[in-house]
Amino acid sequence: MGRLRILISLLMLLSALPAWPQGGRNTGQQEDRDSLVRLLQADMARLVEINGKEYRKVVGDAVFLHNGTYLYCDSAYWNVTEEYIDALGSIRIVQENTLLTGDSIKYVIPENTAKFRGHLVELVDRDSNVLRTNYLDYNTKDSVAFFYRGGAMKDSDGNLIESITGRYSSPLERFDFIGQVAMFSDSLFFVCDTLYYDTKREIARFHGNTQGWYGDNTISSGAGRYERTVEKLYFRKDVHILTEDYEMWSDSLYYDRLTEYSHLLGNVQLLDTVDKAIALAGELRFWNEPRRAELYRSPALVTIDENEEGVRDSVFLSGDTLIYYTMRMCDVDSAVAAAAKERYEAALVDPMQQKKSSGSPASGASGAGPAAGAARSAGAASRLQPGPGTLPSPYYPPEDTLSVTDSIQAPDSLSVQDTLAVPDSLAVPDSLAALGLDSTSCAADSLELPPPPDTTEVTFMEAWHHVRIYKSDIQIRCDSLLFTSIDSIARLFTEPMLWYEIKSQIKADSMQFLFRNQTLDRGYLFSNAFVISEEEPGKYYHQIKSPEMIGYFENSQVSRFDALGGVTAMFYVAEDSVITTMNQKECRLMTGRLKDGQLQRILYTDNIKSDAWPVWKLTQEQSRLRDFNWTPELRPASRYDVTARGVRASRRAESVPSPNFPTFKYAEKYFEGYMSGIIREIDGRKPLIWIERQDFFVHL
C-alpha cells in the first residue's frame, strides 16, 4: 500500500512536466510551455492532505519554473486543483535581471502573480536599485511588481524614494510611486503626489502637488522633472521658489545645477528682499556666477523707497529688455572703468563755483566745460556697452586686440647685450661686498609684488527701448537707460523726457542723474535742454531753454538749477492772483534757488536782456519759445502706464518653516538609520531671518 502511494505521487509529479515536442518550437508552443508550472528540483516531494485538500508538499532547496521565472524556496505546498503554491523560507524569485526575496509567498498560477508577505520583502533590479516593503505582488508574465501599505527604494548612490503604493516595470525599467511620495537625491528633497522614476536614464518626473528643498531653498509647483545625470530640473504649473534673499514665481522653470543657470517663463516675478526690489516679466534668464539677470516680454522693475519718516514710495521701470549684472572691479574693461571715472569727476564740477573762483564765465557756459565733458564720456562709454540679449557673459574684449601688437615697437633684445660694457660680471658682487652689502638681499628687496586685484563687486543696469519710469512725483520716458555703480550715474538716451509734479516737463537730447549715498544728488540735461512749467492749462507756461542745465537735489527735491551756455526764458507774473505780465529773459548763465519746491530767486549773469509784455497783447506765437512742445499725453500717468502686471504678495511667512518637509517614515522603517542624520541636520536649521524680511513686502 505504501509503495502504491509513492508511485501515485511520482506519477502526479511527472504529469506536471510537459512532453517535449518534436521538431522546431513556434511562439505559441513556447508560450504554452512557459504557462505550465514545473518543479525543477527538490530534496523530497509527496502528497499531503490538509483540511480536506490535497497538496503536493515539496521540501528542501525547491526550484519552480513558470513564465521563464525561477522560484526558489525551502518548502512549498502546491494545490494543483486551485492552482496556487504556498512557498516558505528563503524565498527568491529570479527573472532575468530582477531578483525578489522574502519570507513567504502565495503564487497564484492563473494570475501569474507571486504575492509576497513578511517582515521584509525586497526587489533588486538590474541597476541595483533596492525596493523594500512588507506587501508586494509580482506578475511573472508582465514582469511588473506592485507594492502597497508603504515602501521605499534606494539606489547604489544612496538616493531614496518612498510612497504608500507603487509599481515597478522591468520592461520599462521604471518605478512608479503613488501617494505621499518623498524623495532624497543629491542633497535635494522632494515631495509630490505621484513620481515616475526612469532607472535607465535616471529621470524623475513629479506630478500633482510638488515641493522641493535644497539647503535653505524651497520650490513648489504642479509638476516637474529632475534629470539626475546632467543635474537639470524643470518645473511647471504655478512655480514658486523661496531662497534666503529671493522669492520667485513663474509658470515654468528650467534650472541647470552645474552652471547655476535658471530660465523662467510666463508671468514671472522675482522679489529681492536685500535690495527691496521686484522684477516682473514674461521671461527671466538668470546666471548666478557671475550674477546676471535678463528680463524679456514686457519686463518691469519695481523698487521700494522709504524716507526717514518711514513713508514708502515705489518706482516702476519698464522697457523692451532689462538687464542687470554684477562684476568684480578687476574684471571690468579698463575703457569702461576709465569712462565712468571721467563721468563722475566731471559730474562733481560746479560751473557756478568755477565762475566765482575764476572771475570769468564758467567754462560750462560755452558747452565745452565739465558738463559737456560728462556728456562726451557718456557717449564714449555707451558705445562700449553690449546690446540687448548679449549672452551670457558681461565681459567685453577690446575693439581690436590685434592692433595692440602692431603698435609695439620692441627693440631687438640682442642689441641690449651689445651696449653692456661690464668686462667681468664677477666683480659686481665683490664691489657690493666691499660696501658691506649682500647682493642677494638687494635683489630681493628690489622686487615689488603687484597690488592685489580689486575684487569689489560693481553692478550694471541696462534698459533697452521704450523705457518708462513712474514715481508718484516724477515720471520719465526715453529710448534706453544705462547705470553702473562705478560712477553711480544713470544715463538716459534718445529724446528723454521728464515730468515733475505733473505740471513741469523737461526735455533734452540726453540726461544723466548722479546718485550719492543712495539718494539723487544731481541731474544733467545735455544739448537742447527745455523746461516747461504749466501755470494755467492751455494758456500760460513758464519756459527755460538753454544748451545745458544742471539740477541739484536735497531730500529728493530740486534745491537749485543752473542753465548754461546761452539762456532764453519766459516767466508769467501774477498780480492779485491774476496773470498780467510775461517777462522774457536772455543771458549767458542763469541760476535759481528753490525751497520746498518753490522758486525763491533767480540770478542772471552776462549779456542780460530783459523784456516785459502784458499778456493780453501776446499772440500764441509770442507766448512760446522756439521748439516749445507741451505733451502731457506722453507722460506715464500711473504705474499701469508702465506695467499692467500685478505684484504677488510674499508667501514667505506661510512657507518657512515648511510643514510639508518629508519625514521619510517608510525609509526609516526599511533602511533603518539611513535618513536619521540627514533629517536631524535639516530640523536643526531655523531660517528665521526669512520670516523677518518678509514683513517689508506685506503691504505692497
Side-chain angles (χ1 to χ4, degrees), residues 167-236:
R167 59 179 171 263
Y168 167 71
S169 173
S170 180
L172 298 178
E173 298 184 57
R174 192 180 84 180
F175 284 91
D176 299 344
F177 298 89
I178 304 167
Q180 298 182 18
V181 181
M183 175 180 179
F184 167 71
S185 177
D186 305 309
S187 70
L188 297 172
F189 295 84
F190 291 100
V191 296
C192 61
D193 296 335
T194 303
L195 186 151
Y196 302 134
Y197 183 64
D198 186 327
T199 61
K200 185 176 182 179
R201 296 187 294 169
E202 296 189 63
I203 297 177
R205 290 181 170 84
F206 312 103
H207 296 272
N209 184 23
T210 302
Q211 286 188 269
W213 294 263
Y214 173 61
D216 289 340
N217 307 322
T218 68
I219 185 170
S220 63
S221 69
R225 182 176 73 247
Y226 174 42
E227 300 179 16
R228 183 169 173 264
T229 56
V230 292
E231 293 289 339
K232 294 179 179 179
L233 297 101
Y234 173 76
F235 297 93
R236 58 189 177 88

Side-chain angles (χ1 to χ4, degrees), residues 247-260:
E247 189 170 2
M248 289 179 277
W249 294 260
S250 67
D251 294 339
S252 64
L253 163 71
Y254 164 83
Y255 178 62
D256 188 327
R257 291 184 71 192
L258 298 179
T259 61
E260 295 189 278

Side-chain angles (χ1 to χ4, degrees), residues 420-442:
L420 296 177
V422 181
D424 186 1
S425 60
L426 295 176
V428 176
D430 292 341
S431 62
L432 293 173
L435 296 174
L437 299 175
D438 185 352
S439 61
T440 305
S441 63
C442 289

Side-chain angles (χ1 to χ4, degrees), residues 465-468 476-481 492-496:
H465 309 307
H466 303 101
V467 176
R468 303 289 184 271
I476 297 174
R477 63 180 292 152
C478 61
D479 179 71
S480 300
L481 181 150
L492 284 62
F493 301 97
T494 313
E495 299 181 351

